[in-house]
Amino acid sequence: MDFIPLESIKYYKECAPLVEGLGYVLVDLKISVSGGQGHTQKISAVISSKNPEQDIGIDDCAKVHHALLPRLEALLGTDDTYMELTSPGLERNIKNAAEFSIFIGRMVRVWDKTVSDWVQGEIVLSDEKSIALKNNEEQKIVLYENIAKAKLIQ
């Protein structure tokens, strides 16, 4: 699994403080141009609660959507946009190892290539090279290079 710093995602640095100011964390941001005549900018964003015990609801998504869309339209220089804003969901597939730091305190399972099996536990630490998972009293360090898949679990 690759570690891509969230700050390297286009417009992430400009949008994350706004989302954090509302009490949430920007997990992912993708912007693409749809193939139609008007070249609509399609925006996909994922937010999470700062508190691992708190779920994200429709009202939370609406609150962030209303604040984030004008910021992105200004950055993109267009109001020809379509934005979808969601929560990570109960079983989010983690594709970027940088996301682990956002989900500290949450349960995750990772496919560890060194043992050819799922390893699960609470995320207690995450850096640019590895993740530390706690399961009962045991703590296991898994290098990102050894993770084939990862998924949040409830």
Side-chain angles (χ1 to χ4, degrees), residues 13-149:
K13 287 188 287 192
E14 293 85 352
C15 296
L18 174 66
V19 174
E20 287 177 24
L22 296 170
Y24 308 95
V25 179
L26 186 59
V27 176
D28 195 15
L29 180 65
K30 290 185 179 105
I31 301 169
S32 59
V33 178
S34 69
Q37 292 177 346
H39 300 292
T40 301
Q41 300 282 326
K42 183 179 178 200
I43 304 162
S44 174
V46 179
I47 61 166
S48 182
S49 171
K50 289 182 179 180
N51 178 355
E53 302 294 316
Q54 186 177 1
D55 292 330
I56 296 290
I58 293 171
D59 291 340
D60 301 306
C61 289
K63 179 179 170 183
V64 175
H65 187 281
H66 290 297
L68 190 56
L69 183 59
R71 166 76 53 92
L72 284 163
E73 287 177 338
L75 290 166
L76 295 168
T78 182
D79 62 355
D80 188 7
T81 57
Y82 167 78
M83 182 169 164
E84 181 179 285
L85 194 134
T86 63
S87 73
L90 295 175
E91 294 190 4
R92 176 176 174 77
N93 290 322
I94 296 175
K95 297 175 187 104
N96 176 2
E99 290 181 31
F100 287 119
S101 64
I102 293 171
F103 298 119
I104 288 176
R106 302 244 344 237
M107 293 295 290
V108 68
R109 66 181 181 159
V110 299
W111 183 266
D112 185 343
K113 294 186 276 188
T114 63
V115 294
S116 296
D117 200 1
W118 290 102
V119 176
Q120 73 178 35
E122 177 186 339
I123 304 169
V124 292
L125 225 98
S126 172
D127 61 23
E128 294 179 2
K129 302 247 185 256
S130 64
I131 182 175
L133 302 176
K134 183 179 175 187
N135 194 347
N136 297 321
E137 295 304 313
E138 289 184 36
Q139 186 167 309
K140 178 172 175 72
I141 305 290
V142 183
L143 297 174
Y144 296 140
E145 64 191 42
N146 295 328
I147 297 176
K149 299 183 219 176

